[in-house]
Amino acid sequence: MEFRVDRQTLADAVAWAARTLPTRPALPILAGMLVEVTDKGGLTLAAFDYEVSAHAREDADVAEPGRVLVPGRLLSDIVRNLPPHPVEVFTKGSEVVVRCGPAEFGLLTLPVEDYPTLPEPPARAGTVPGDLFAAAVAQVTPAAGRDETLPMLTGVRIDIEGDTMWLACTDRYRIAARELTWSPDAPDFTAGVVVPARTLADTAKSIKRGAEVAIDLGGAADTLIGVSGGGRSMTSRLLDDQYINYRSRLTGTWSSVAEIRVAPFVEAIKRAALVTERGTPIRLAFTADEVRIRAATGDSARANEALSATLTGDDIDIAFAPQYLLDGLAGIDAEYARLECAGPTKAALLTAIPDKKDDEEAPPESDTGYRYLAMPVRLTS
């Protein structure tokens, strides 16, 4: 095997494949990264840990096609620190030689014949703009659970009906959901799957900006999802597809509806959180034209700040974990947010108010498709 490739191109491809390398591999062979070049000038780097596989494909000047397995993390560290020159990679005996300008490294190869067969993704289900998909995944994944004893809650629920896709996460105390439009290959395509949230978030943000993302999903018997775009692809096992009926919980009758500018609200919450300890909530008191943001840690420190806001309905005094509020507000890509409440002990819904275009009225029913439902902290006084 022998090929030549741009240093940054190789670094990006190796970094993508290295995402899948296990920290503590169940088998030593899984610490390897598969490097393959074809006589048509294609370079592929891949890694697999029996749960997730990652592939990166690039063009290279190939002198001799071949396939080798090398220590993945070591290759990643080496390539990341190479000088800015074209990289030559070739086999020499039992070594893979990486040469870049004055620098040269030799890596002992691993037995490529022992490496497991990489999974094939299901059939393509449709496509979605990569930037839109990445933004939607970033909006919902902060609400995913971290408790591995409840694996369903550590995933992103993806529901598809025709050209509508919903993404949702919950940790039982909040729900983050996003509705978007995508392009299915079959107009009547439907699916409901749960994908590990950490894997999907890492994949979505790492795909090249501007690339179209293809989603591969099969029938009910399939246990994999494939996501690809911009020469990068991954497959991941699916989690148990049982999930709460989150969409029914994102609607309700609200006795209080507040509207507030997002940026100053976020800054005020961050300031108030400076005096809180773990588990101490931020208290929000909404009246007709303002919200008062308060927090305290016993008698040692307190914060009190007022911001302008508009309130329709009853005055409301409600409290939330500050990070829960910040996670929800981080998903709002608009100047103003709407907080809808039905009492201080019931879940409150946070949504974006679409920015109006110049000299144009936004229809009242239009929105950004983002919903964030959070349970408040019960106030003791």
Side-chain angles (χ1 to χ4, degrees), residues 334-345:
E335 185 178 1
Y336 285 87
R338 180 183 291 115
L339 183 69
E340 299 173 277
C341 308
T345 62

Side-chain angles (χ1 to χ4, degrees), residues 348-371:
L349 182 67
L350 188 65
T351 57
I353 301 174
D355 296 333
K356 294 178 182 178
K357 298 179 181 178
D358 293 341
D359 301 322
E360 182 179 324
E361 289 291 329
E365 72 276 4
S366 68
D367 62 40
T368 63
Y370 175 65
R371 302 282 187 275

